[in-house]
Structures are given as structure tokens and as C-alpha cells.
Amino acid sequence: MSLGYVRPARPEDAAEIARIQLATWRVAYRRLLPREVLDGLDEASLAERWDASVRQPPSDTHRVLVAVEQAEQSYLVGFAASGPADAEALAPNEPAEALGADVVAVTDLLVEPRWGRRGHGSRLLAASVDLWRESGFDRAVAWVFEGDQASRKFLTTAGWEPDGAGRALDVDDMLVPQLRLHVAVPTEPPRAG
């Protein structure tokens, strides 16, 4: 376990969040998504989107958190983004009311591969759960690629499980299957010791 912590993202983190997203996708999804799609992603436009997400979130319950590795220097090594479940969290043909106002959706939870297995993902998830609890969310959902064994294992080890919903993303004329995982948000933080 490394020395590290989680904090809310700041506007000046946007470029590093975009870099982490691209680096992680290009490693973790290289066998799941077409190479030309991964190669064609523009880091500058991703950074602009992250800057907007941090500066002007759609609501006060939309959050972007970053994980920081502490050593002789500090490094941003991962991030998590979540907000109230919206149409993007729904399965195809699922009615809008299927996920109520008490459901939060995780849109991103990424740790750069070279910093993996050092506790950063767990810290990001724990900090997110604390914020969800404070905001009154009862349940969380997240879409994961069926072929992304690392993310599936991480979340299922943390108590998430498939809720039966599935979809396929059309990525450059290639259908990439996803499944939705869910978990109850605990009403109280875990007790120490």
C-alpha cells in the first residue's frame, strides 16, 4: 500500500486527468476498442471537458476526485467522476424512471496502470462512497466493458454485482458489450478495528 490521498479535483488538474484517461484507456482497452479510435482521441479536448466538469459541474452532487501518490514529489495517479444517474446510466429501452433520484452513476474510475495495485482505486471508491452517503444516494451504478476483467474484479471484490442490464456501445462500427454493476450505498461508514 502506498502513501497517498484523495482530494476534490481542481481546474489545474484537468490536463493531468485527460493524460491519465488516455494513458489508461490505451493500455486497458487496447484489446477492446479499435486502435484508430484510441489513437484518435484528443488530449486537449478531453482536458477542456474535464476543466468544464470541475469548474461548472451540472449539480452540487456531480463530483470529480483525484488520487495523489505521495513520495519525494506528489503525482496525480487516478480519478473518479460520478453524479446523479441520468439517461447515460440507463440500459437500452429502460424507462427514465428505472433509476430514481437516489441512484448515483459512476462515469469514470481510473488509475493509471503504472500506479495500479497501490490502493489508489480503493481510496477513490471509499471517498466517493462517503460523498454519495452525504448526498443521500442509496445505490450506485457503473457500466463496465464485459472484457475489462480488471475493473470488473475490482468492483465485484468491493461488493458490486451485475444488475442484469447490458448494452453494446457502437465504437467505429464495432459493438462493444457492457454490463451494469450496482451496489447499495451503506448508510453508515464502516467501523474501524
Side-chain angles (χ1 to χ4, degrees), residues 34-53:
R35 179 183 205 130
E36 60 274 6
V37 169
L38 293 172
D39 290 344
L41 293 171
D42 179 51
E43 191 169 329
S45 72
L46 284 174
E48 287 176 17
R49 285 191 230 154
W50 284 114
D51 182 67
S53 294

Side-chain angles (χ1 to χ4, degrees), residues 116-157:
R117 306 192 61 80
R118 297 168 68 90
H120 298 297
S122 295
R123 280 191 285 277
L124 282 166
L125 187 56
S128 295
V129 168
D130 287 343
L131 292 171
W132 301 338
R133 183 183 311 105
E134 289 172 16
S135 297
F137 292 113
D138 294 335
R139 189 165 64 103
V141 296
W143 286 100
V144 296
F145 291 116
E146 283 187 13
D148 182 359
Q149 297 301 319
S151 294
R152 288 178 65 183
K153 183 177 179 183
F154 172 74
L155 289 172
T156 56
T157 300

